[in-house]
């Protein structure tokens, strides 16, 4: 399943550009940290598993926890 994540074309939720690879790198470099965090939170809200979020956005579980905690509190 994880290998399948690297075989699909990803679409940026902001500019709709498609590409292969880690979507987080694109969002951070092209749209900024605020948009990156919002995209991570939206993926979490849609029910994407934490492991997939980590792979697609290039973050660790600890970084995901920090984003959620900073946004919603403990």
């Amino acid at each position: 399943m994880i290998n399948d994540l690297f075989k699909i074309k990803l679409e940026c939720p902001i500019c709709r550009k498609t590409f292969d690879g880690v979507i987080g790198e694109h969002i951070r470099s092209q749209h900024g940290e605020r948009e990156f965090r919002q995209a991570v939170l939206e993926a979490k809200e849609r029910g994407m598993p934490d492991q997939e979020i980590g792979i697609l956005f290039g973050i660790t579980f600890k970084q995901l926890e920090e984003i959620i905690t900073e946004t919603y509190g403990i």
Side-chain angles (χ1 to χ4, degrees):
M1 180 175 96
I2 293 173
N3 288 339
D4 292 339
L5 292 174
F6 293 110
K7 295 177 184 174
I8 60 173
K9 286 282 188 187
L10 300 174
E11 182 179 278
C12 174
I14 301 160
C15 66
R16 303 294 183 215
K17 178 183 175 186
T18 58
F19 54 92
D20 298 317
V22 177
I23 195 169
E25 293 172 7
H26 164 78
I27 295 173
R28 273 189 166 139
S29 68
Q30 298 298 310
H31 307 292
E33 186 67 23
R34 181 176 172 202
E35 294 294 334
F36 170 79
R37 289 174 170 265
Q38 186 61 40
V40 169
L41 292 170
E42 288 173 4
K44 183 68 176 168
E45 289 170 3
R46 287 192 312 270
M48 183 181 287
D50 294 345
Q51 186 176 16
E52 287 183 31
I53 291 172
I55 292 167
L56 291 176
F57 291 94
I59 60 174
T60 65
F61 181 74
K62 182 175 177 156
Q63 290 169 316
L64 175 59
E65 281 185 316
E66 289 172 1
I67 291 170
I68 293 168
T69 302
E70 288 172 3
T71 303
Y72 299 113
I74 297 176

